[in-house]
Amino acid sequence: MLFMCHQMAMKKEAQEKLKAEELRKAQAASEIPIIWILGGPGCGKGTQCAKIVEKYGFTHLSSGDLLRNEVASGSDKGRQLQAVMSSGGLVSNDEVLSLLNDAISRAKGSSKGFLIDGYPREKNQGVAFEERIAPADLALYFDCSEDTMLKRIMARAAAAAVKRADDNEQTIRARLQTFKLNTSAILELYADKTLTINAERDVDDIFQEVVQAIECVLKKKAKAAAQC
């Protein structure tokens, strides 16, 4: 019994140390713009992220890419993640946040800003991100109709060398409905920092609106820094 109590106390102490370290990183990260990039599959957010990186030198972070990179590294954590994914399980949000936090910490010395692509996927993830990493300065939501996204996804699937079993209209529409439901809750919770952009226009027209939003964030950051 005493041994179990000791183990629980050690675990609690380790968790508190982790939270303290994440808070320290969050304070450092908050000096740099953090932008959530939201939008369904096929909305064109990848194209816009590439243009943002080219213009501003921001760091583009995708939770999916971070997971795949960690697995490919062969690290102990990567092997643990591989085991979870291979068994059909879902990687915990704590693990995803840890990867994002580490990536932000590594890049903060050289990065001018962070694009968090495809995250949060639900409102609870947004709350956890802001508590453990840093508040987001802006959320860009690339709004696209279900039919448009379906056409783009189907076209992309048709051109792919490897065909996926779930690349069919019924499955894709189900994914889009799930995305819409989760995203609606995020947009409602973060309405004060979200810019909804019509993503069914010319790429350059969309980017002009993106630039205006980012310039506004940069001005606010510069003004806040000057007051410190």
Side-chain angles (χ1 to χ4, degrees), residues 41-190:
C43 73
K45 59 187 174 66
T47 299
Q48 293 300 318
C49 281
K51 291 176 75 67
I52 295 170
V53 170
E54 182 180 6
K55 181 174 178 63
Y56 293 101
F58 286 4
T59 302
H60 181 199
L61 298 176
S62 160
S63 57
D65 288 345
L66 290 173
L67 284 168
R68 285 186 287 272
N69 291 342
E70 189 66 36
V71 169
S73 74
S75 67
D76 289 341
K77 179 183 283 189
R79 286 191 289 271
Q80 292 170 2
L81 294 173
Q82 179 66 57
V84 171
M85 292 186 286
S86 297
S87 65
L90 294 175
V91 175
S92 72
N93 191 46
D94 281 347
E95 290 286 4
V96 176
L97 279 175
S98 179
L99 289 172
L100 282 169
N101 204 13
D102 288 346
I104 288 172
S105 181
R106 287 194 301 269
K108 71 179 188 298
S110 58
S111 179
K112 298 177 181 178
F114 294 100
L115 305 177
I116 312 300
D117 185 358
Y119 191 96
R121 294 181 183 272
E122 55 186 46
K123 67 177 182 179
N124 291 338
Q125 292 181 346
V127 172
F129 182 99
E130 295 203 313
E131 286 179 349
R132 290 180 53 180
I133 298 180
D137 295 288
L138 173 69
L140 293 176
Y141 173 53
F142 295 95
D143 189 24
C144 209
S145 72
E146 182 177 314
D147 285 341
T148 296
M149 287 190 287
L150 176 66
K151 289 177 183 177
R152 291 176 179 176
I153 296 168
M154 294 294 285
R156 192 164 58 195
V162 179
K163 308 301 180 185
R164 289 173 38 170
D166 59 353
D167 278 337
N168 60 77
E169 182 171 342
Q170 183 178 359
T171 303
I172 293 170
R173 284 196 183 277
R175 282 163 49 198
L176 292 175
Q177 283 299 314
T178 300
F179 165 79
K180 183 177 180 181
L181 181 65
N182 290 336
T183 302
S184 295
I186 297 171
L187 299 180
E188 182 178 351
L189 182 62
Y190 294 104

Side-chain angles (χ1 to χ4, degrees), residues 38-40 42-45 48 141-145 148-149 152 196-203 205-207 209-210:
L38 308 176
C43 73
K45 59 187 174 66
Q48 293 300 318
Y141 173 53
F142 295 95
D143 189 24
C144 209
S145 72
T148 296
M149 287 190 287
R152 291 176 179 176
T196 298
I197 296 176
N198 177 2
E200 300 196 45
R201 299 173 294 158
D202 178 79
V203 169
D205 290 340
I206 296 170
F207 190 57
E209 196 169 346
V210 169

